Each structure stands twice: as structure tokens, then as C-alpha cells.
Amino acid sequence: MQDYIQERVLEICQYILDTKSTVREVAKNFGVSKSTVHKDITERLPQINPERANEIKKILNQNKAERHIRGGEATRQKYSKETSDSSQD
């Protein structure tokens, strides 16, 4: 594995541990694709640091369990904004 990839994997790992961010948020922050983040976390990190990989896996599982809540909240905000915009007309 090339050095810059290994550095990115470790930076992503630390960022997720610090912020408990989703894969989408991490991808946007680091300027890489969601697929790259996912591959870094699920395939490359266990080779580099298996203990950290287990910690990250717990966070990702928690984010996965909560995603339906975030999606519902985003939809609610979208429609409440549209309603408030149309009432101003």
C-alpha cells in the first residue's frame, strides 16, 4: 500500500473517531468518493490497525442504524421549508 493511501486511511479513521461522522460527511470533507472512504475503512484499515477498525465498525453500524431517522428528519425539514416559503407568497 502506498504511503499517501495509508496516511489518508489513518486520517479518516481519526476523523471518524473524533466526530462520529457518516461516510458521506467524511467523503465530502476529504474530497474523495464514498466508495473510497468505505474501502479505506473496511479493507485497508483492518490491515493497518485491526483494533481501530473494530472501533470504526461500531460507529458505522450505529450510523447505519440511525440513517432512517436522519432521512426522515431531512424530509421533514425540506417540506417545512417549502410550506413556510409558500405561505410568504
Side-chain angles (χ1 to χ4, degrees), residues 44-89:
R44 295 178 177 135
L45 184 58
Q47 295 173 359
I48 298 169
N49 190 335
E51 293 171 5
R52 285 273 172 106
N54 287 332
E55 293 176 41
I56 295 291
K57 190 172 184 174
K58 290 177 188 175
I59 294 170
L60 292 181
N61 286 337
Q62 180 180 354
N63 286 343
K64 188 175 180 181
E66 295 172 349
R67 72 180 168 192
H68 69 283
I69 296 169
R70 282 192 298 274
E73 180 63 22
T75 302
R76 186 183 70 77
Q77 288 178 358
K78 174 185 173 185
Y79 286 108
S80 68
K81 182 179 183 220
E82 287 179 6
T83 304
S84 67
D85 288 348
S86 64
S87 67
Q88 293 175 359
D89 291 337

Side-chain angles (χ1 to χ4, degrees), residues 9-26:
V9 170
L10 294 173
E11 287 175 11
I12 287 173
C13 171
Q14 191 59 50
Y15 183 79
I16 292 173
L17 289 172
D18 292 344
T19 63
K20 308 237 185 295
S21 295
T22 64
V23 171
R24 284 177 188 256
E25 293 166 343
V26 173

